[in-house]
């Protein structure tokens, strides 16, 4: 047992590196297409646009803003969806109350900032309060109906209805915004040129600092999770459980501990994402289903149970929503929908999912 | 790989089942390695080997439950390697499963009915089948063949294990089979039921061939004319039942050391 | 999928074999549903417009749409949350293609062009939803169909050229033909009753047809279905098309009864309430969705006053619905139909004992 767990991650990481090289070797055309696309995208972002391009697509500033908003929104979606996908992967539990946990975390964080005045501290409160709710759900309900995935899903549905109604009761139906802390308020200058004035003066992009910081935090959390799943004993147990359900029986009674821990962690992340959402946008009635939908689409596109899949899915959906809102106002949701349809048609298990 | 001459040869042999270089991988695990096997129409063949020898995987590659990783599968000369299972079944292939795969919440009669309907037309019909329809006659005959008349209107989930095994066989005999794959049909049957099974197998019309995987040598060697031995995903011996029984290597590996 | 109670029915063919003497037994076996039918036919004589429209009309329309969910879930093992959306597509299409208060958006085609086209478009949408989720199994179906349903809600909310955004459509009249104004309470009631009874009977009949039996085979064991000659994916998609047809008719009736449709007719709450209706009623029998719809409509209409009467906040109606749903899922997964069956079999068993 111990030897299996200690050896596996290293060998797998090694083969993964080779796999990348082998993939390029076996798909030279695709590798070229992707490389060209990446270079073109970089040029779009970094270089000032020629006049012809601006005539067709509008100002570069608008595009770059949509791009940045999309990427940072992707970071937020990743925070929400990653807990969802982890819970699904390990327990086959489609937690339809995940959006409610997001909203609950946001409200608790709002209360915490009101009481303590500390934005950072509110994350602790949101994480803990949602984790407690998650633990209660796993311990009192799902433990009793293991393996009955449809029934579990229906229970989460019932809970989400009750939660959302109770939250309207407590916090009302109006939108609430969490204030950005002073030290992150306002824009920062980025090294990206959005235009060159006729005077020859270059104009750089100003972008809200808080969004960049939060995106960086999402990346750090994502990388941290990936490392935790690949380099720690518990992480390897979780991954083994996601890949092979029979593995879990080897763990005996500890499997319950693992389930509770993952549920708490996933719920806690959703709660922290609630504060991010409350700072970026606002918290209100209906945001729970908005973020539940986002998690569903992200996870369907990225692949169930895969953390890197959630990251890619979140990025794609965040970008498609923001770019859609700017360029196809009446059909922006259709864009994410189309992406989902195409992925489902070509790869029903999602981009990085396993059968 | 395969020259035109080779392909012509394969099509011309008129074998019921023809496997060429079939391999199947599960991740890094090689379940089948380079299997080449041909079975004539009407031939009855046993595939023997210890657990994990790749026998059931072999059947799954023939039916398409799992496609082979490489190699070709031909059914009566036609290349069926990439066809979905239901297309192969409609061409006259049938199979039973080692662990009964039945419709637990339907009656015995409905289970057999579905099997008969599956290889006939109007599978999508919204009109109920009348009692006078010829298909109902075949359903009744199949139910009688496996001695399940008394429980014909019970739900399959309520049946005893042995009865479920019998039903498993009835499903494979529906329609006009040309070739059947039996995966351990005798497992879990009582001695009486085993006798019935042998009677059913020997009474099959001569043009229907089959491959049978069976641990019970008394059953297996009595109902076949040839035997293929498998070990670690490869074929290592083929011959008549008497030859195989007498082979010292086989005796050492399987028959002597008990099976399981 | 322990939700769908086993559907126990007479074996194939019986009834057709010995028709003459069977009629009396058939009547007594179906006494409850026949009585209900008679009651529904004479209901307009004893009820006022409020009960016809707000209680009976809503029950039958929501029951029909939930019936399409029951057909997929109970017989096919596919719990689709897209059925309300299919109904919504049909409802929106009748408003876009037919008559509404928006001459700039609607086409003002006559109902006999608009209604069949609306149904066709909705069936196409429902079949597409099926094609997308049919290749995946079990729990994925819920996720994919929920994502489809929510996407459609946001589309209607954001899109002005076709769906008229937030406002939706109002003043959509029910048709007028054979000299009858079908929007009047009593004719509308009978039209809804006709289609509800028809779809109930159709689902019951089809459940014993080759197609319906094969669908139940797919539910119990898709792999074996492949191994006896069925194209499982095609069967699933066909089931979605059949279910979409029922939901689409329900959607058009919904609009004719309501005279309006907006994004909030297809929002996530409505989509989920429809699942609640089907599950609470029971996925084991086609009567379940109608029972669920009746309970839901009664609660929706009277719970507010009842909650206030016992000193609670009337606005907590959704909490009540949610808790009721949780209780059913936790303690009687096969819904009210399952409760009733268990009660009936217990009574039957004790009768048998005392008779001996």
């Amino acid at each position: 047992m111990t030897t299996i767990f200690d050896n596996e991650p290293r060998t797998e990481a090694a083969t993964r590196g080779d796999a990348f090289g082998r993939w390029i070797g076996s798909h030279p055309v695709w590798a070229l297409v992707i490389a060209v696309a990446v270079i073109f995208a970089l040029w779009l972002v970094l270089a000032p646009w020629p006049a012809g391009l601006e005539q067709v697509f509008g100002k570069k500033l608008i595009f770059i803003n949509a791009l940045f908003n999309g990427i940072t929104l992707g970071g937020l979606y990743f925070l929400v969806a990653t807990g969802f996908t982890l819970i699904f992967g390990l327990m086959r539990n489609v937690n339809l109350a995940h959006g409610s946990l997001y909203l609950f975390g946001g409200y608790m964080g709002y209360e915490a900032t009101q009481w303590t005045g500390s934005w950072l501290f509110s994350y602790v409160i949101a994480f803990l309060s949602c984790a407690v709710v998650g633990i209660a759900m796993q311990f009192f309900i799902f433990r009793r109906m293991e393996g009955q995935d449809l029934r579990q899903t229906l229970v989460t549905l019932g809970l989400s209805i009750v939660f959302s109604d109770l939250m309207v009761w407590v916090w009302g139906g109006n939108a609430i915004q969490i204030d950005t802390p002073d030290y992150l308020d306002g824009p920062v200058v980025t090294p990206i040129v959005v235009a060159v004035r006729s005077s020859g003066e270059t104009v750089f992009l100003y972008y809200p600092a808080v969004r960049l910081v939060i995106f960086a935090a999402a990346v750090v959390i994502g990388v941290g999770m990936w490392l935790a799943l690949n380099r720690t004993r518990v992480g390897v147990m979780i991954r083994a459980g996601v890949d092979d359900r029979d593995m879990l029986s080897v763990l005996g009674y500890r499997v319950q501990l693992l389930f509770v821990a993952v549920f708490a962690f996933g719920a806690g992340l959703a709660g922290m994402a609630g504060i991010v959402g409350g700072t970026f946008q606002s918290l209100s009635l209906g945001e729970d289903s908005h973020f539940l939908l986002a998690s569903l689409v992200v996870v369907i596109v990225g692949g169930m149970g895969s953390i890197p899949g959630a990251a890619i899915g979140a990025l794609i959906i965040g970008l498609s929503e923001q770019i859609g809102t700017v360029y196809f106002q009446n059909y922006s949701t259709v864009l994410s929908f189309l992406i989902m349809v195409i992925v489902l048609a070509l790869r029903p298990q999602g981009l990085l999912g396993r059968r | 790989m395969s020259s035109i001459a080779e392909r012509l040869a394969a099509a011309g042999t008129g074998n019921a089942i023809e496997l060429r270089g079939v391999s199947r991988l599960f991740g890094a695990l090689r379940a089948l390695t380079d299997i080449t096997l041909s079975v004539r129409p009407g031939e009855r063949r046993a595939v023997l080997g210890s657990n994990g020898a790749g026998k059931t995987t072999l059947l799954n590659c023939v039916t398409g439950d799992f496609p082979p990783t490489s190699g070709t599968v031909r059914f009566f000369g036609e290349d069926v390697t990439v066809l979905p299972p239901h297309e192969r079944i409609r061409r006259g292939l049938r199979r039973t499963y080692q662990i009964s795969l039945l419709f637990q919440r339907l009656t015995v009669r409905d289970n057999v009915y579905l099997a008969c309907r599956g290889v006939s037309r109007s599978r999508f019909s919204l009109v109920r089948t009348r009692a006078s329809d010829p298909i109902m006659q075949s359903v009744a005959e199949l139910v009688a063949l496996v001695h399940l008349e008394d429980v014909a209107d019970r739900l399959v989930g309520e049946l005893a294990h042995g009865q479920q095994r019998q039903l498993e066989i009835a499903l494979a005999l529906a329609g006009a089979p040309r070739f059947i794959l039996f995966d351990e049909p005798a497992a879990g049957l009582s001695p009486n039921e085993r006798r019935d099974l042998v009677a059913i197998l020997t009474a099959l019309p001569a043009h229907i061939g089959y491959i049978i995987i069976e641990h019970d040598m008394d059953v297996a060697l009595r109902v076949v004319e040839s035997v293929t031995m498998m070990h670690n995903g490869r074929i290592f011996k083929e011959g008549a039942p008497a030859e195989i029984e007498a082979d010292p290597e086989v005796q050492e590996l399987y028959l002597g050391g008990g099976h399981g | 999928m322990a939700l769908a109670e086993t559907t126990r029915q007479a074996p194939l063919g019986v009834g057709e074999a010995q028709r003459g003497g069977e009629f009396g037994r058939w009547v007594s076996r179906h006494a409850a549903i026949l009585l209900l039918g008679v009651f529904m036919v004479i209901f307009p004589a004893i009820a006022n417009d409020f009960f016809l429209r707000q209680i009976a009309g809503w029950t039958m329309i929501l029951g029909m749409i939930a019936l399409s969910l029951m057909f997929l879930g109970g017989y096919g093992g596919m719990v689709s949350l897209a059925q309300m959306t299919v109904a919504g597509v049909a409802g929106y299409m009748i408003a876009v293609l037919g008559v509404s208060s928006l001459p700039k958006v609607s086409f003002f085609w006559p109902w006999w062009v608009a209604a069949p086209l609306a149904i066709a478009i909705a069936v196409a949408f429902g079949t597409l939803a099926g094609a997308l989720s049919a290749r995946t199994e079990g729990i994925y179906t819920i996720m994919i169909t929920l994502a489809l349903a929510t996407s459609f809600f946001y589309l209607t909310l954001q899109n002005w050229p076709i769906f008229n955004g937030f406002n939706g459509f109002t003043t959509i009249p029910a048709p007028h033909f054979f000299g009858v104004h079908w929007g009047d309470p009593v004719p509308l009631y009978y039209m809804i009753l006709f289609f509800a009874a028809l779809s109930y009977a159709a689902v019951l009949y089809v459940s014993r047809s080759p197609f319906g039996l094969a669908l139940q085979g797919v539910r119990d064991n898709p792999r074996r279905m492949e191994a006896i000659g069925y194209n499982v994916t095609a069967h699933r998609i066909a089931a979605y098309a059949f279910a979409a047809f029922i939901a689409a008719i329900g959607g058009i009736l919904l609009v004719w009864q309501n005279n309006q449709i907006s994004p909030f007719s297809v929002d996530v709450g409505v989509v989920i309430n429809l699942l609640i209706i089907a599950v609470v009623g029971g996925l084991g029998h086609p009567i379940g969705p109608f029972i669920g719809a009746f309970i839901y409509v009664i609660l929706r209409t009277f719970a507010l006053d009842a909650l206030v009467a016992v000193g609670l906040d009337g606005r907590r109606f959704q909490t009540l619905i949610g808790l009721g749903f949780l209780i059913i899922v936790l303690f009687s997964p096969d819904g009210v139909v399952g409760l009733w069956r268990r009660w009936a079999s217990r009574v039957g068993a004790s009768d048998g004992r005392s008779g001996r």
Side-chain angles (χ1 to χ4, degrees):
Chain A
M1 270 278 295
T2 322
T3 49
I4 294 175
F5 282 150
D6 288 343
N7 287 334
E8 203 176 55
R10 220 170 300 136
T11 49
E12 283 232 349
T15 48
R16 215 165 275 169
D18 294 345
F20 183 66
R22 245 184 294 138
W23 189 87
I24 292 180
S26 57
H27 300 81
V29 178
W30 275 111
L32 190 69
V33 168
I34 290 172
V36 168
V38 166
I39 290 169
F40 180 67
L42 281 176
W43 176 81
L44 271 183
V45 172
L46 295 175
W49 286 11
L53 195 62
E54 293 222 331
Q55 258 172 3
V56 180
F57 279 110
K59 283 217 157 65
K60 183 185 174 188
L61 176 64
I62 293 172
F63 171 77
I64 292 291
N65 257 320
L67 190 73
F68 267 60
N69 286 345
I71 292 173
T72 48
L73 183 66
L76 171 56
Y77 282 169
F78 172 74
L79 287 181
V80 188
T82 189
F84 184 83
T85 200
L86 206 57
I87 291 170
F88 175 84
L90 191 65
M91 293 168 245
R92 291 291 180 273
N93 182 331
V94 178
N95 181 14
L96 297 181
H98 204 71
S100 311
L101 289 169
Y102 161 87
L103 194 55
F104 179 67
Y107 280 135
M108 290 307 285
Y110 169 77
E111 294 296 332
T113 50
Q114 296 296 99
W115 278 85
T116 65
S118 164
W119 186 67
L120 282 178
F121 179 68
S122 71
Y123 281 93
V124 180
I125 297 294
F127 185 90
L128 288 180
S129 47
C130 283
V132 167
V133 176
I135 290 171
M137 280 163 69
Q138 172 62 27
F139 189 78
F140 289 113
I141 304 172
F142 301 127
R143 194 166 54 107
R144 292 163 204 278
M145 41 178 78
E146 223 164 88
Q148 305 177 41
D149 49 7
L150 181 58
R151 217 167 139 210
Q152 287 191 348
T153 308
L154 293 177
V155 168
T156 61
L157 198 66
L159 287 175
S160 77
I161 295 167
V162 174
F163 286 167
S164 107
D165 201 45
L166 292 180
M167 284 191 283
V168 173
W169 194 11
V170 177
W171 284 286
N174 293 332
I176 289 177
Q177 174 121 36
I178 299 173
D179 294 330
T180 311
D182 293 338
Y183 48 88
L184 290 176
D185 212 6
V188 289
V189 189
T190 61
I192 291 170
V193 180
V194 284
V196 181
R197 294 235 174 90
S198 49
S199 59
E201 183 191 356
T202 50
V203 184
F204 291 99
L205 174 74
Y206 282 75
Y207 200 76
V210 66
R211 291 188 80 119
L212 293 176
V213 168
I214 285 172
F215 178 73
V219 172
V220 168
I221 288 177
V223 172
M225 279 180 67
W226 191 83
L227 286 176
L229 281 177
N230 286 280
R231 298 294 153 89
T232 68
R233 224 183 111 97
V234 173
V236 171
M237 279 200 280
I238 293 174
R239 239 162 35 86
V242 171
D243 289 346
D244 180 2
R245 309 279 306 152
D246 296 336
M247 259 316 294
L248 293 175
S249 58
V250 178
L251 298 174
Y253 72 96
R254 281 173 303 166
V255 76
Q256 281 308 327
L257 219 58
L258 195 67
F259 280 11
V260 167
V262 168
F263 219 109
F265 183 70
L269 268 186
M272 283 168 55
I275 300 180
V276 175
T279 314
F280 274 23
Q281 304 167 343
S282 62
L283 302 166
S284 68
L285 177 69
E287 284 302 295
D288 47 353
S289 42
H290 171 189
F291 276 86
L292 173 63
L293 169 75
S295 309
L296 286 175
V297 178
V298 163
V299 170
I300 290 171
V301 168
M304 317 269 176
S306 158
I307 302 286
I312 289 178
L315 211 56
I316 292 175
I317 297 306
L319 277 172
S320 88
E321 269 188 25
Q322 289 300 319
I323 294 202
T325 314
V326 172
Y327 292 103
F328 327 89
Q329 266 159 19
N330 279 315
Y331 298 95
S332 68
T333 50
V334 181
L335 200 61
S336 338
F337 168 76
L338 275 181
I339 291 173
M340 189 179 90
V341 168
I342 291 168
V343 167
L344 278 175
L346 300 178
R347 235 183 116 77
Q349 71 271 40
L351 291 177
L352 297 184
R354 291 186 187 204
R355 275 276 188 184
Chain B
M1 277 286 278
S2 62
S3 69
I4 291 174
E6 249 180 307
R7 267 190 270 170
L8 277 176
T13 50
N15 278 327
I17 304 277
E18 172 100 33
L19 302 184
R20 294 227 161 181
V22 167
S23 297
R24 170 72 204 196
L25 293 126
F26 291 105
L29 180 78
R30 274 188 173 276
L32 289 180
T33 307
D34 197 25
I35 298 283
T36 294
L37 174 77
S38 37
V39 185
R40 283 174 285 107
E43 183 181 339
R44 280 123 202 240
R45 166 91 53 118
V47 174
L48 306 180
S50 56
N51 283 336
K55 297 167 301 196
T56 298
T57 309
L58 181 74
L59 296 200
N60 282 332
C61 283
V62 175
T63 54
D65 282 48
F66 314 137
T69 314
S70 61
T72 57
V73 180
R74 285 172 186 279
F75 186 61
F76 285 92
E78 182 186 5
D79 189 342
V80 296
T81 316
V82 295
L83 286 186
H86 64 262
E87 288 290 347
R88 307 183 193 204
I89 301 304
R90 290 178 198 172
R91 283 161 172 72
L93 184 65
R94 300 284 185 276
R95 80 168 289 183
T96 71
Y97 287 85
Q98 190 179 354
I99 298 160
S100 298
L101 286 184
L102 299 166
F103 310 110
Q104 301 282 336
R105 290 192 271 163
L106 295 176
T107 64
V108 171
R109 201 190 299 277
D110 287 348
N111 270 259
V112 178
Y113 171 80
L114 280 179
C116 293
R117 180 56 76 193
V119 289
S120 72
R121 290 187 304 155
S122 37
R123 282 177 289 266
F124 285 88
S125 170
L126 297 177
V127 181
R128 290 187 183 180
T129 310
R130 304 187 66 86
S132 55
D133 194 294
I135 206 170
M136 302 311 289
Q137 182 66 32
S138 357
V139 171
E141 280 167 11
L142 278 171
V143 171
L145 180 71
V146 291
H147 311 293
L148 291 176
E149 301 104 313
D150 292 345
V151 291
D153 295 320
R154 293 262 300 276
L155 297 180
V156 168
E158 300 168 355
L159 257 51
H161 179 74
Q163 293 173 313
Q164 298 205 11
R165 298 302 301 163
Q166 305 272 63
L167 180 58
E168 187 68 38
I169 291 162
L171 294 195
L173 299 178
R178 294 205 280 173
F179 201 91
I180 309 177
L181 310 171
F182 293 103
D183 195 351
E184 298 197 24
L189 294 188
S190 69
N192 270 337
E193 287 167 335
R194 279 172 197 237
R195 267 196 296 281
D196 280 344
L197 174 69
V198 171
I200 289 173
L201 292 181
T202 42
L204 282 176
H207 72 276
I208 301 178
Y210 55 75
I211 290 177
I212 182 168
I213 295 176
E214 189 48 66
H215 279 301
D216 183 338
M217 295 300 156
D218 288 341
V219 173
L221 297 181
R222 269 164 63 190
V223 295
V224 300
E225 59 215 53
S226 56
V227 177
T228 297
M229 297 294 303
M230 286 182 74
H231 186 65
N232 280 342
R234 292 172 190 273
I235 291 177
F236 86 96
K237 200 137 281 178
E238 287 190 341
E243 281 168 47
I244 295 291
E245 260 183 310
D247 190 290
E249 204 180 349
V250 172
Q251 281 199 326
E252 189 193 327
L253 262 172
Y254 298 101
L255 304 175
H259 44 77
Chain C
M1 300 246 170
L3 269 171
E5 237 272 82
T6 311
T7 38
R8 269 175 204 262
Q9 270 143 16
L12 267 176
V14 174
E16 273 132 303
Q18 322 145 307
R19 184 156 301 186
E22 286 281 296
F23 184 71
R25 220 178 306 158
W26 185 86
V27 168
S28 69
R29 197 146 46 93
H30 296 88
I33 196 77
L34 289 174
L35 272 179
L36 178 68
V38 171
F39 176 76
M40 293 307 282
V41 170
I42 60 170
F43 189 59
I46 54 173
N48 61 18
D49 286 359
F50 173 79
F51 275 90
L52 282 187
R53 240 179 212 277
Q54 299 305 324
I55 306 293
W58 272 107
T59 296
M60 289 189 286
I61 290 172
L62 289 176
M64 272 179 80
I65 303 172
L67 176 68
S68 85
L69 198 162
M70 176 269 150
F71 179 77
L72 290 173
Y75 294 128
M78 304 172 282
V79 178
S80 160
L81 287 172
Q83 298 317 106
M84 189 67 223
T85 307
V86 172
V89 170
Y92 261 108
M93 284 305 122
I94 198 91
V96 171
L97 302 173
V99 179
S100 80
S101 62
L102 293 168
K104 275 188 190 151
V105 184
S106 290
F107 291 15
F108 284 78
W109 289 346
W111 70 270
W112 46 268
V113 179
L117 258 178
I119 291 175
I121 293 170
V123 168
F125 176 84
T127 313
L128 174 78
L132 284 176
S133 49
R135 288 204 294 160
T136 58
E137 296 249 310
I139 211 71
Y140 292 65
T141 310
I142 291 193
M143 300 182 64
I144 292 168
T145 51
L146 180 59
L148 284 177
T150 344
S151 299
F152 183 72
F153 163 68
Y154 283 111
L155 172 66
T156 57
L157 199 61
Q158 290 180 346
N159 182 287
W160 291 85
I162 299 176
F163 296 100
N164 199 38
F166 188 85
N167 296 332
F169 295 81
T170 53
T171 346
I172 309 157
H176 172 213
F177 58 91
F178 298 150
V180 180
H181 286 279
W182 291 98
D184 291 346
V186 172
L188 184 69
Y189 172 84
Y190 278 114
M191 180 161 74
I192 296 172
L193 177 61
F194 171 76
F195 282 110
L198 192 69
S199 45
Y200 170 80
V203 167
L204 207 55
Y205 179 83
V206 165
S207 72
R208 302 293 304 160
S209 71
F211 175 68
L213 279 172
L215 193 60
Q216 292 166 68
V218 169
R219 171 197 66 196
D220 282 4
N221 204 325
R223 184 171 164 205
R224 187 52 183 264
M225 283 303 275
E226 276 282 340
I228 56 174
Y230 292 85
N231 184 343
V232 167
T233 308
H235 243 91
R236 286 188 172 141
I237 296 174
Y240 271 94
F242 182 86
F245 190 72
I246 294 173
I249 296 175
I252 288 176
L253 294 174
L254 183 81
V255 170
W256 282 346
Q257 141 129 340
N258 232 358
N259 291 326
Q260 62 97 27
I261 187 158
S262 74
F264 304 98
S265 316
V266 293
D267 71 9
V268 186
V270 181
V271 165
I272 286 173
N273 282 341
L274 194 78
L275 176 68
I276 291 178
I277 287 171
V279 170
V280 166
L283 294 175
H285 190 276
I287 198 66
F290 291 98
I291 295 174
F294 181 67
I295 295 172
Y296 174 79
V297 169
I298 291 288
L299 276 179
R300 188 177 67 174
T301 318
F302 300 111
L304 217 143
D305 298 330
L307 280 174
V308 173
V310 296
L312 289 166
D313 191 338
R315 284 169 300 176
R316 297 286 70 79
F317 165 69
Q318 276 296 335
T319 303
L320 189 71
I321 292 276
L323 286 176
F325 176 68
L326 276 177
I327 289 169
I328 285 280
V329 172
L330 290 173
F331 299 107
S332 176
D334 37 13
V336 174
V337 169
L339 278 180
W340 183 73
R341 271 189 179 141
R342 256 171 283 156
W343 178 80
S345 70
R346 204 172 306 152
V347 170
S350 64
D351 278 1
R353 239 174 284 132
S354 58
R356 216 165 277 161

